[in-house]
Amino acid sequence: MMLKPSVLACLAAAGLAAADGLHARAVAAGKKYFGTEISISVMNDASANNIAKNSQDFGQYTAENEMKFDALEPSRGVFNYANGDKIVAQAQANGQIMRCHALIWHSQVPSWVSNGGFNNATLISIMRTHIANVVGHYKGKCYAWDVVNEALNEDGSYRNSGSIWGSTIGPAFIPMAFAAAAAADPSTKLYYNDYNCDKPGSKSTGAQNLIRMVKAYGAPIHGMGLQGHFTTGQVGSASTLVQNLQAFANLGVEVAYTELDIATPSSNPNFNQQATDYATVVSACKQVSACVGITTWGFTDKHTWIRNSYPLIWDTNMQKKAAYNAILNAWGSSSGGGGGGGGGGGVTTTARPPTPTGGSCAAQWGQCGGSGWSGPTCCVAPFSCKAQNPYYSQCL
Ligand SMILES: *[C@@H]1O[C@H](CO)[C@@H](O)[C@H](O)[C@H]1NC(C)=O
């Protein structure tokens, strides 16, 4: 039977037309969202912004730069929310949720902070004031906040050099930032966010130790943001990604891919391999119930931070690439008949507390002490236990 055009138009206006898209499929697979990073410059590009406003494809936004420290507090005590508010307003108009990004990061810090010569106590106060203002301003509007961004070196140790926060306060800034964010908005999910933690390895282990450290301090932490900046052909297997997601889930936090893009050179792109790689990441998230969603770092190759690369899902002319259908298929049916309800029907995640193996010593990068720590206090040879702060000692 044919529906009259007027009935179809009415259904569409009511949002009842057949729902399909990257986000619709993610929801049908039991996830909260598929989303994208967006910026004021993308919003000013009408053909790109039309894609961003389609809530069947994107159920969530992350601001590229508009909520970073230098954008929001360009001089001490002066807060500028105009651009961040524009992004939140567009999200709300389309029924899209916000992941808010990012409170404390060593980069994009204004010079009044990095060159201010502040001592430890003053810098802690500056950090807490910033978090209280920003999280307070967006209270109730952020599904999640990236509280601390990129606080680890590649070997999993804490980043001190090159970070005003790490070098002045030490790793104690991390639990302090989480506690301050929780005080300003008790209902937003508080995330640690980093890159190169996407597969098992020393940095991923370091991020797991960071989560344990925040908990040992007594501050809340609810999520691990895996940035997911990959290279085409190097994503590897879904089972490796699942193993990594599960390691975080086992700490009792949720997990999300927060900045996914899969680089391929614009001079010689391989869009079929890229599509396979996008499907691998989606499949991994689908299999782990603690993985709540995926955010890509933009959606069109016209607007990407990676030079000489075509890493995204739409091409520079706003046409869908092979990756688009690969992502739809990896999520599965849009009807929700197959995988919905049970969190995707994959690996069942049992949240359990970190259980240090009784009596044995911790491995390299493992935790070996700190206030409230009941796990191993020795390290396997040749590593030794070094106190990082009162709440965390690490085998280095
Ligand atoms: C800065 O002060 C905090 C809070 O008193 C403390 O935990 C941290 O270790 C101090 N950092 C340094 C480098 O002394």
Side-chain angles (χ1 to χ4, degrees), residues 178-204:
F178 278 86
D185 185 353
S187 60
T188 189
K189 304 260 187 194
L190 307 178
Y191 271 65
Y192 176 67
N193 191 56
D194 210 336
Y195 60 93
N196 284 352
C197 300
D198 312 301
K199 296 182 191 180
S202 25
K203 196 170 185 185
S204 179

Side-chain angles (χ1 to χ4, degrees), residues 120 124 167-170 172 176 390:
N120 188 10
I124 289 171
S167 62
T168 307
I169 306 173
M176 286 175 182

Side-chain angles (χ1 to χ4, degrees), residues 153-170:
N153 296 312
E154 293 307 287
D155 65 5
S157 61
Y158 291 109
R159 184 196 296 271
N160 287 333
S161 86
S163 166
I164 192 68
W165 314 108
S167 62
T168 307
I169 306 173

